[in-house]
Coordinates of all heavy atoms in Angstrom, one line a residue:
D27 N 119.4 -5.0 -56.6 CA 119.0 -6.3 -56.2 C 117.8 -6.7 -57.1 O 117.7 -7.9 -57.4 CB 118.6 -6.4 -54.7 CG 119.8 -6.3 -53.8 OD1 120.9 -6.6 -54.3 OD2 119.6 -6.0 -52.6
W28 N 116.9 -5.8 -57.4 CA 115.7 -6.1 -58.2 C 116.1 -6.8 -59.5 O 115.6 -7.8 -59.9 CB 114.9 -4.9 -58.4 CG 113.8 -5.0 -59.5 CD1 113.8 -4.5 -60.7 CD2 112.6 -5.7 -59.4 NE1 112.7 -4.8 -61.4 CE2 111.9 -5.6 -60.6 CE3 112.0 -6.5 -58.4 CZ2 110.7 -6.2 -60.9 CZ3 110.8 -7.1 -58.7 CH2 110.1 -6.9 -59.9
Q29 N 117.0 -6.1 -60.3 CA 117.4 -6.7 -61.6 C 118.1 -8.0 -61.4 O 117.9 -8.9 -62.2 CB 118.3 -5.7 -62.3 CG 117.6 -4.5 -62.8 CD 118.5 -3.5 -63.5 OE1 119.5 -3.1 -62.9 NE2 118.2 -3.1 -64.7
N30 N 119.0 -8.1 -60.4 CA 119.8 -9.4 -60.3 C 118.9 -10.5 -59.8 O 119.1 -11.7 -60.2 CB 120.9 -9.2 -59.2 CG 122.0 -8.3 -59.7 OD1 122.2 -8.2 -60.9 ND2 122.7 -7.6 -58.8
N31 N 117.9 -10.3 -59.0 CA 117.1 -11.3 -58.4 C 115.9 -11.8 -59.4 O 115.5 -12.9 -59.3 CB 116.5 -10.9 -57.1 CG 117.6 -10.9 -56.0 OD1 118.6 -11.6 -56.1 ND2 117.4 -10.0 -55.1
T32 N 115.5 -10.9 -60.2 CA 114.3 -11.2 -61.1 C 114.6 -11.3 -62.6 O 113.9 -11.9 -63.3 CB 113.2 -10.1 -60.9 OG1 113.7 -8.9 -61.4 CG2 112.8 -10.0 -59.5
G33 N 115.7 -10.6 -63.0 CA 116.0 -10.5 -64.4 C 115.2 -9.4 -65.1 O 115.3 -9.2 -66.3
F34 N 114.3 -8.7 -64.4 CA 113.5 -7.6 -65.0 C 114.3 -6.3 -64.9 O 115.1 -6.1 -64.0 CB 112.2 -7.5 -64.2 CG 111.2 -8.6 -64.4 CD1 110.9 -9.4 -63.3 CD2 110.6 -8.9 -65.6 CE1 110.0 -10.5 -63.4 CE2 109.8 -9.9 -65.7 CZ 109.5 -10.7 -64.6
G35 N 113.9 -5.4 -65.8 CA 114.5 -4.1 -65.8 C 114.0 -3.2 -64.6 O 113.0 -3.6 -64.0
M36 N 114.6 -2.1 -64.3 CA 114.2 -1.3 -63.2 C 112.8 -0.7 -63.4 O 112.2 -0.3 -62.5 CB 115.2 -0.2 -63.0 CG 116.6 -0.7 -62.4 SD 116.4 -1.6 -60.8 CE 116.0 -0.2 -59.8
N37 N 112.4 -0.5 -64.7 CA 111.1 0.1 -64.9 C 110.0 -0.9 -65.3 O 109.0 -0.6 -65.8 CB 111.3 1.1 -66.1 CG 112.2 2.3 -65.7 OD1 112.0 2.8 -64.6 ND2 113.1 2.6 -66.5
S38 N 110.3 -2.2 -65.0 CA 109.3 -3.2 -65.2 C 108.0 -3.1 -64.4 O 108.1 -2.6 -63.3 CB 109.9 -4.6 -65.0 OG 111.0 -4.8 -65.8
I39 N 106.9 -3.5 -65.0 CA 105.7 -3.5 -64.3 C 105.3 -5.0 -64.0 O 105.2 -5.8 -65.0 CB 104.5 -2.9 -65.0 CG1 104.8 -1.4 -65.3 CG2 103.2 -3.1 -64.3 CD1 103.8 -0.7 -66.2
V40 N 105.2 -5.4 -62.8 CA 104.9 -6.8 -62.4 C 103.5 -6.7 -61.7 O 103.5 -6.4 -60.5 CB 105.9 -7.5 -61.6 CG1 105.5 -8.9 -61.3 CG2 107.3 -7.4 -62.3
D41 N 102.4 -6.7 -62.4 CA 101.1 -6.5 -61.9 C 100.1 -7.1 -62.8 O 100.4 -7.3 -64.0 CB 100.9 -5.0 -61.7 CG 99.8 -4.7 -60.7 OD1 99.2 -5.6 -60.2 OD2 99.7 -3.5 -60.4
D42 N 98.9 -7.2 -62.4 CA 97.8 -7.7 -63.2 C 97.4 -6.5 -64.2 O 97.2 -5.4 -63.7 CB 96.6 -8.0 -62.3 CG 95.4 -8.5 -63.1 OD1 95.3 -8.4 -64.3 OD2 94.4 -8.9 -62.4
P43 N 97.4 -6.8 -65.5 CA 97.2 -5.7 -66.5 C 95.7 -5.3 -66.5 O 95.3 -4.3 -67.1 CB 97.6 -6.3 -67.8 CG 97.4 -7.8 -67.6 CD 97.8 -8.0 -66.2
L44 N 94.8 -6.0 -65.7 CA 93.4 -5.7 -65.6 C 92.7 -5.7 -67.0 O 92.2 -4.7 -67.5 CB 93.2 -4.4 -64.9 CG 93.7 -4.3 -63.4 CD1 93.5 -3.0 -62.9 CD2 93.0 -5.4 -62.6
L45 N 92.7 -6.8 -67.7 CA 92.1 -6.9 -69.0 C 90.6 -7.1 -68.8 O 90.1 -7.6 -67.8 CB 92.6 -8.2 -69.7 CG 94.2 -8.2 -70.0 CD1 94.5 -9.5 -70.6 CD2 94.6 -7.0 -70.8
I46 N 89.9 -6.6 -69.8 CA 88.4 -6.7 -69.9 C 88.1 -8.0 -70.6 O 88.4 -8.2 -71.8 CB 87.8 -5.6 -70.6 CG1 88.1 -4.3 -69.9 CG2 86.3 -5.8 -70.8 CD1 87.6 -3.0 -70.7
G47 N 87.6 -9.0 -69.8 CA 87.2 -10.3 -70.4 C 88.3 -10.9 -71.2 O 89.4 -10.9 -70.7
S48 N 88.0 -11.4 -72.4 CA 89.1 -12.1 -73.1 C 89.4 -11.4 -74.4 O 90.0 -12.0 -75.3 CB 88.6 -13.5 -73.4 OG 87.5 -13.5 -74.2
D49 N 89.1 -10.1 -74.6 CA 89.4 -9.4 -75.8 C 90.7 -8.6 -75.7 O 91.0 -7.9 -76.6 CB 88.2 -8.6 -76.3 CG 88.1 -7.2 -75.6 OD1 88.7 -7.0 -74.6 OD2 87.3 -6.4 -76.1
Y50 N 91.4 -8.6 -74.6 CA 92.7 -8.0 -74.4 C 92.6 -6.5 -74.3 O 93.7 -5.8 -74.4 CB 93.7 -8.5 -75.4 CG 93.8 -10.0 -75.5 CD1 93.2 -10.7 -76.5 CD2 94.4 -10.7 -74.5 CE1 93.3 -12.1 -76.6 CE2 94.5 -12.0 -74.5 CZ 94.0 -12.7 -75.6 OH 94.1 -14.1 -75.6
R51 N 91.5 -5.9 -74.1 CA 91.4 -4.5 -73.8 C 91.7 -4.2 -72.4 O 91.5 -5.1 -71.5 CB 90.1 -3.9 -74.2 CG 89.8 -4.0 -75.7 CD 88.5 -3.2 -76.1 NE 88.2 -3.5 -77.5 CZ 88.8 -2.9 -78.5 NH1 89.6 -1.9 -78.3 NH2 88.5 -3.2 -79.8
L52 N 92.2 -3.0 -72.0 CA 92.5 -2.7 -70.7 C 91.4 -2.0 -69.9 O 90.7 -1.2 -70.5 CB 93.7 -1.7 -70.7 CG 95.0 -2.2 -71.4 CD1 96.0 -1.1 -71.4 CD2 95.5 -3.4 -70.7
Q53 N 91.2 -2.3 -68.7 CA 90.2 -1.6 -67.8 C 90.8 -0.2 -67.6 O 92.0 0.0 -67.7 CB 90.1 -2.3 -66.5 CG 89.4 -3.7 -66.6 CD 89.3 -4.3 -65.2 OE1 89.1 -3.7 -64.2 NE2 89.3 -5.7 -65.2
S54 N 89.9 0.7 -67.3 CA 90.3 2.1 -67.1 C 91.3 2.3 -65.9 O 92.0 3.2 -65.9 CB 89.1 3.0 -66.9 OG 88.4 2.6 -65.7
S55 N 91.3 1.3 -65.0 CA 92.2 1.4 -63.8 C 93.5 0.6 -64.0 O 94.3 0.4 -63.1 CB 91.5 1.0 -62.6 OG 91.1 -0.4 -62.7
S56 N 93.8 0.1 -65.3 CA 94.9 -0.8 -65.5 C 96.2 0.0 -65.3 O 96.4 1.2 -65.7 CB 94.9 -1.3 -67.0 OG 96.1 -1.9 -67.3
P57 N 97.2 -0.7 -64.8 CA 98.5 0.0 -64.6 C 99.2 0.1 -66.0 O 100.3 0.8 -66.1 CB 99.3 -1.0 -63.7 CG 98.7 -2.3 -63.9 CD 97.2 -2.0 -64.2
C58 N 98.7 -0.5 -67.1 CA 99.3 -0.4 -68.4 C 98.8 0.8 -69.2 O 99.3 1.0 -70.3 CB 99.0 -1.7 -69.1 SG 99.8 -3.1 -68.4
I59 N 97.8 1.6 -68.6 CA 97.3 2.8 -69.3 C 98.5 3.8 -69.3 O 99.0 4.1 -68.3 CB 96.1 3.3 -68.6 CG1 95.0 2.3 -68.6 CG2 95.7 4.7 -69.3 CD1 94.3 2.1 -70.0
N60 N 98.8 4.3 -70.5 CA 99.9 5.3 -70.7 C 101.2 4.9 -70.1 O 102.0 5.7 -69.7 CB 99.4 6.6 -70.1 CG 98.4 7.3 -71.0 OD1 98.5 7.2 -72.2 ND2 97.4 7.9 -70.4
A61 N 101.5 3.6 -70.0 CA 102.7 3.1 -69.4 C 103.8 2.8 -70.5 O 104.9 2.5 -70.1 CB 102.5 1.9 -68.5
G62 N 103.4 2.9 -71.7 CA 104.4 2.6 -72.8 C 104.8 3.9 -73.4 O 104.4 5.0 -73.1
I63 N 105.8 3.8 -74.4 CA 106.3 5.0 -75.1 C 106.2 4.7 -76.6 O 106.5 3.6 -77.0 CB 107.8 5.2 -74.7 CG1 107.9 5.6 -73.2 CG2 108.3 6.4 -75.6 CD1 109.3 5.8 -72.8
D64 N 105.7 5.6 -77.3 CA 105.4 5.5 -78.8 C 106.6 5.5 -79.6 O 106.8 6.4 -80.5 CB 104.4 6.6 -79.2 CG 103.8 6.3 -80.5 OD1 104.1 5.3 -81.1 OD2 103.1 7.2 -81.0
R65 N 107.6 4.7 -79.4 CA 108.9 4.7 -80.1 C 108.7 4.4 -81.6 O 109.5 4.8 -82.4 CB 109.8 3.6 -79.5 CG 110.2 3.9 -78.1 CD 111.4 4.8 -78.1 NE 111.9 4.8 -76.7 CZ 112.1 6.0 -76.1 NH1 111.8 7.1 -76.6 NH2 112.6 6.0 -74.8
Q66 N 107.6 3.7 -82.0 CA 107.4 3.3 -83.4 C 106.5 4.4 -84.1 O 106.2 4.2 -85.3 CB 106.7 1.9 -83.5 CG 107.6 0.8 -83.0 CD 108.9 0.6 -83.8 OE1 108.8 0.7 -85.0 NE2 110.0 0.4 -83.1
D67 N 106.1 5.4 -83.4 CA 105.2 6.5 -83.9 C 104.0 5.9 -84.6 O 103.6 6.1 -85.7 CB 106.0 7.3 -84.9 CG 105.2 8.6 -85.2 OD1 104.4 9.1 -84.4 OD2 105.5 9.2 -86.3
Y68 N 103.3 5.1 -83.8 CA 102.1 4.4 -84.2 C 101.0 5.4 -84.7 O 100.2 5.0 -85.6 CB 101.5 3.5 -83.1 CG 102.3 2.3 -82.8 CD1 103.1 2.2 -81.7 CD2 102.4 1.2 -83.7 CE1 103.9 1.1 -81.4 CE2 103.1 0.1 -83.5 CZ 103.9 0.1 -82.3 OH 104.7 -1.0 -82.1
D69 N 100.9 6.6 -84.2 CA 99.9 7.5 -84.6 C 100.4 8.5 -85.7 O 99.7 9.4 -86.0 CB 99.3 8.3 -83.4 CG 100.4 9.0 -82.6 OD1 101.5 9.0 -83.0 OD2 100.0 9.6 -81.5
D70 N 101.6 8.3 -86.2 CA 102.1 9.1 -87.3 C 102.2 10.6 -87.0 O 102.0 11.4 -87.9 CB 101.4 8.8 -88.6 CG 101.6 7.4 -89.1 OD1 102.7 6.9 -88.9 OD2 100.6 6.8 -89.6
D71 N 102.4 11.0 -85.7 CA 102.5 12.4 -85.4 C 103.9 12.9 -85.3 O 104.1 14.0 -84.9 CB 101.7 12.7 -84.2 CG 102.2 12.1 -82.9 OD1 103.2 11.4 -83.0 OD2 101.7 12.4 -81.8
L72 N 104.9 12.0 -85.6 CA 106.3 12.3 -85.6 C 106.8 12.5 -84.2 O 107.9 13.0 -84.0 CB 106.7 13.6 -86.5 CG 106.3 13.4 -87.9 CD1 106.6 14.7 -88.7 CD2 106.9 12.2 -88.6
N73 N 106.0 12.2 -83.2 CA 106.4 12.2 -81.8 C 106.7 10.8 -81.3 O 105.7 10.0 -81.2 CB 105.4 12.9 -80.9 CG 105.8 13.0 -79.5 OD1 106.8 12.5 -79.0 ND2 105.0 13.7 -78.7
T74 N 107.9 10.5 -81.0 CA 108.3 9.1 -80.5 C 108.6 9.0 -79.1 O 109.2 8.1 -78.6 CB 109.4 8.5 -81.4 OG1 110.6 9.4 -81.2 CG2 109.1 8.4 -82.8
T75 N 108.2 10.1 -78.3 CA 108.4 10.1 -76.9 C 107.2 10.2 -76.0 O 107.2 10.2 -74.8 CB 109.3 11.3 -76.5 OG1 108.7 12.5 -76.9 CG2 110.7 11.2 -77.2
E76 N 106.0 10.2 -76.7 CA 104.7 10.3 -75.9 C 104.3 9.0 -75.3 O 104.7 7.9 -75.8 CB 103.6 10.9 -76.8 CG 103.3 9.9 -78.0 CD 102.4 10.6 -79.0 OE1 101.6 11.4 -78.7 OE2 102.6 10.2 -80.2
S77 N 103.5 9.1 -74.3 CA 103.0 7.9 -73.6 C 101.9 7.2 -74.4 O 101.1 7.9 -75.0 CB 102.5 8.2 -72.2 OG 103.5 8.7 -71.4
I78 N 101.9 5.9 -74.4 CA 100.8 5.1 -75.0 C 100.4 4.0 -74.1 O 101.2 3.6 -73.2 CB 101.1 4.6 -76.5 CG1 102.3 3.7 -76.4 CG2 101.3 5.8 -77.4 CD1 102.6 3.0 -77.7
D79 N 99.3 3.4 -74.4 CA 98.9 2.2 -73.6 C 99.8 1.0 -74.0 O 100.2 0.9 -75.1 CB 97.5 1.8 -73.9 CG 96.5 2.8 -73.4 OD1 96.9 3.7 -72.6 OD2 95.3 2.8 -73.7
M80 N 100.1 0.2 -73.0 CA 100.8 -1.1 -73.3 C 99.8 -2.2 -73.6 O 98.7 -2.1 -73.0 CB 101.6 -1.5 -72.1 CG 102.8 -0.6 -71.8 SD 103.6 -1.0 -70.2 CE 104.2 -2.6 -70.5
G81 N 100.0 -3.1 -74.5 CA 99.1 -4.2 -74.7 C 98.8 -4.4 -76.2 O 99.5 -3.9 -77.0
A82 N 97.7 -5.1 -76.4 CA 97.3 -5.5 -77.7 C 96.7 -4.3 -78.5 O 96.8 -4.3 -79.8 CB 96.3 -6.6 -77.7
Y83 N 96.1 -3.4 -77.9 CA 95.4 -2.3 -78.6 C 96.2 -1.0 -78.3 O 95.9 -0.2 -77.5 CB 94.0 -2.1 -78.1 CG 93.1 -3.3 -78.4 CD1 93.0 -4.3 -77.4 CD2 92.5 -3.4 -79.6 CE1 92.1 -5.4 -77.7 CE2 91.7 -4.5 -79.9 CZ 91.5 -5.5 -78.9 OH 90.7 -6.6 -79.2
I84 N 97.3 -0.8 -79.1 CA 98.1 0.4 -78.9 C 97.4 1.7 -79.4 O 97.4 2.7 -78.8 CB 99.5 0.2 -79.6 CG1 100.2 -0.9 -78.9 CG2 100.3 1.5 -79.5 CD1 101.5 -1.4 -79.6
T85 N 96.9 1.6 -80.6 CA 96.2 2.8 -81.2 C 94.7 2.8 -81.0 O 94.1 3.8 -81.3 CB 96.6 2.8 -82.7 OG1 95.9 1.8 -83.4 CG2 98.1 2.8 -83.0
G86 N 94.1 1.6 -80.7 CA 92.7 1.6 -80.6 C 92.0 1.1 -81.9 O 90.9 0.8 -82.0
G87 N 92.8 1.0 -83.0 CA 92.3 0.6 -84.3 C 92.6 -0.8 -84.6 O 92.3 -1.3 -85.7
E88 N 93.3 -1.5 -83.7 CA 93.7 -2.9 -84.0 C 92.5 -3.9 -84.0 O 91.5 -3.6 -83.3 CB 94.7 -3.4 -83.0 CG 96.0 -2.8 -83.0 CD 96.1 -1.4 -82.3 OE1 95.1 -1.0 -81.7 OE2 97.1 -0.8 -82.4
I89 N 92.5 -4.9 -84.8 CA 91.5 -6.0 -84.7 C 92.2 -7.2 -84.3 O 93.1 -7.7 -84.9 CB 90.9 -6.2 -86.1 CG1 90.2 -4.9 -86.6 CG2 89.9 -7.4 -86.1 CD1 89.6 -5.0 -88.0
I90 N 91.8 -7.7 -83.1 CA 92.4 -8.9 -82.5 C 91.4 -10.1 -82.7 O 90.3 -10.0 -82.4 CB 92.6 -8.7 -81.0 CG1 93.4 -7.4 -80.8 CG2 93.3 -9.9 -80.4 CD1 94.8 -7.4 -81.4
G91 N 91.9 -11.2 -83.3 CA 91.1 -12.4 -83.5 C 91.2 -12.8 -84.9 O 92.0 -12.4 -85.8
H92 N 90.4 -13.8 -85.3 CA 90.4 -14.4 -86.6 C 89.8 -13.5 -87.6 O 88.8 -12.8 -87.4 CB 89.5 -15.7 -86.5 CG 89.7 -16.6 -87.7 ND1 88.9 -16.3 -88.8 CD2 90.5 -17.6 -88.0 CE1 89.2 -17.2 -89.8 NE2 90.2 -18.0 -89.3
N93 N 90.4 -13.5 -88.8 CA 89.9 -12.8 -90.0 C 88.9 -13.7 -90.7 O 89.4 -14.5 -91.5 CB 91.0 -12.3 -90.9 CG 90.5 -11.6 -92.1 OD1 89.3 -11.5 -92.3 ND2 91.5 -11.2 -92.9
W94 N 87.7 -13.7 -90.4 CA 86.7 -14.6 -91.0 C 86.5 -14.4 -92.5 O 86.0 -15.3 -93.1 CB 85.3 -14.5 -90.3 CG 85.4 -14.9 -88.9 CD1 85.4 -14.1 -87.8 CD2 85.6 -16.2 -88.4 NE1 85.6 -14.9 -86.6 CE2 85.7 -16.2 -87.0 CE3 85.8 -17.5 -89.0 CZ2 85.9 -17.3 -86.2 CZ3 86.0 -18.6 -88.2 CH2 86.1 -18.5 -86.8
G95 N 87.0 -13.4 -93.1 CA 86.9 -13.1 -94.5 C 87.9 -14.0 -95.3 O 87.8 -14.2 -96.4
A96 N 89.0 -14.4 -94.6 CA 90.0 -15.2 -95.3 C 89.6 -16.7 -95.4 O 89.2 -17.2 -94.4 CB 91.4 -15.1 -94.5
Q97 N 89.7 -17.2 -96.5 CA 89.4 -18.6 -96.7 C 90.6 -19.5 -96.7 O 91.6 -19.1 -97.3 CB 88.6 -18.8 -98.1 CG 87.3 -18.1 -98.1 CD 86.3 -18.5 -97.0 OE1 86.2 -19.7 -96.8 NE2 85.7 -17.6 -96.4
T98 N 90.7 -20.6 -96.0 CA 91.8 -21.4 -95.8 C 91.5 -22.9 -96.2 O 92.0 -23.8 -95.6 CB 92.4 -21.3 -94.4 OG1 91.3 -21.7 -93.5 CG2 92.8 -20.0 -94.0
S99 N 90.7 -23.0 -97.2 CA 90.3 -24.4 -97.6 C 91.5 -25.3 -97.9 O 92.4 -25.0 -98.5 CB 89.5 -24.3 -98.9 OG 89.1 -25.6 -99.3
G100 N 91.4 -26.5 -97.3 CA 92.4 -27.5 -97.5 C 93.6 -27.4 -96.6 O 94.5 -28.3 -96.7
L101 N 93.7 -26.4 -95.7 CA 94.8 -26.3 -94.8 C 94.6 -27.1 -93.5 O 93.5 -27.1 -93.0 CB 95.2 -24.9 -94.5 CG 95.6 -24.0 -95.7 CD1 95.8 -22.6 -95.3 CD2 96.8 -24.6 -96.4
I102 N 95.6 -27.7 -92.9 CA 95.5 -28.3 -91.7 C 96.2 -27.4 -90.7 O 97.4 -27.1 -90.9 CB 96.1 -29.7 -91.7 CG1 95.5 -30.6 -92.7 CG2 96.1 -30.4 -90.3 CD1 94.1 -30.9 -92.5
F103 N 95.6 -27.1 -89.6 CA 96.2 -26.2 -88.6 C 96.7 -27.0 -87.4 O 96.5 -28.2 -87.3 CB 95.1 -25.2 -88.0 CG 94.6 -24.3 -89.1 CD1 93.5 -24.5 -89.8 CD2 95.4 -23.2 -89.4 CE1 93.0 -23.6 -90.8 CE2 95.0 -22.3 -90.4 CZ 93.8 -22.5 -91.1
A104 N 97.5 -26.4 -86.6 CA 98.2 -27.1 -85.5 C 97.3 -27.8 -84.6 O 97.6 -28.8 -84.0 CB 99.1 -26.1 -84.7
N105 N 96.0 -27.3 -84.4 CA 95.1 -28.0 -83.5 C 94.4 -29.2 -84.2 O 93.6 -29.8 -83.6 CB 94.1 -27.0 -83.0 CG 93.2 -26.4 -84.1 OD1 93.3 -26.8 -85.2 ND2 92.4 -25.4 -83.8
G106 N 94.7 -29.4 -85.4 CA 94.2 -30.6 -86.1 C 92.9 -30.3 -86.9 O 92.4 -31.2 -87.6
F107 N 92.3 -29.1 -86.7 CA 91.1 -28.8 -87.4 C 91.4 -28.1 -88.8 O 92.4 -27.5 -88.9 CB 90.2 -27.8 -86.6 CG 89.7 -28.5 -85.3 CD1 90.3 -28.2 -84.1 CD2 88.7 -29.4 -85.4 CE1 89.9 -28.8 -83.0 CE2 88.2 -30.0 -84.2 CZ 88.8 -29.7 -83.0
E108 N 90.5 -28.3 -89.7 CA 90.7 -27.8 -91.0 C 89.9 -26.5 -91.2 O 88.8 -26.4 -90.6 CB 90.2 -28.8 -92.1 CG 90.6 -28.5 -93.4 CD 90.3 -29.6 -94.4 OE1 90.6 -30.7 -94.0 OE2 89.9 -29.3 -95.5

């Protein structure tokens, strides 16, 4: 009934991911801690079955946000600002 009524898979997590502020990191009590599987081998250890965190910071080395080093002079963005 779960799959038919919601469209979600049997192993879906429907819960607050408990993000820290607005930087998309997970709180230590997040249900997304170790809830993913490293199918893409993000840590290059040749193990694609180990648990990893779900979310924006899979390896901990990601940088989320604007790259202030890139110059975009003369471009118009969707929000209308240059």
Side-chain angles (χ1 to χ4, degrees):
D27 288 341
W28 167 253
Q29 287 176 308
N30 291 332
N31 291 329
T32 65
F34 293 112
M36 291 301 292
N37 297 314
S38 298
I39 297 173
V40 181
D41 202 353
D42 182 349
L44 300 176
L45 301 177
I46 297 173
S48 62
D49 81 348
Y50 305 105
R51 293 187 190 278
L52 303 173
Q53 294 180 27
S54 61
S55 58
S56 171
C58 296
I59 300 289
N60 287 322
I63 298 175
D64 191 9
R65 297 273 190 235
Q66 298 295 317
D67 196 22
Y68 289 106
D69 57 5
D70 294 322
D71 66 355
L72 303 179
N73 182 354
T74 58
T75 61
E76 64 193 328
S77 296
I78 59 172
D79 295 346
M80 294 172 63
Y83 297 94
I84 294 172
T85 68
E88 292 83 4
I89 298 173
I90 307 299
H92 189 277
N93 178 358
W94 294 110
Q97 299 299 315
T98 57
S99 178
L101 296 178
I102 304 294
F103 296 98
N105 62 8
F107 294 100
E108 192 172 319

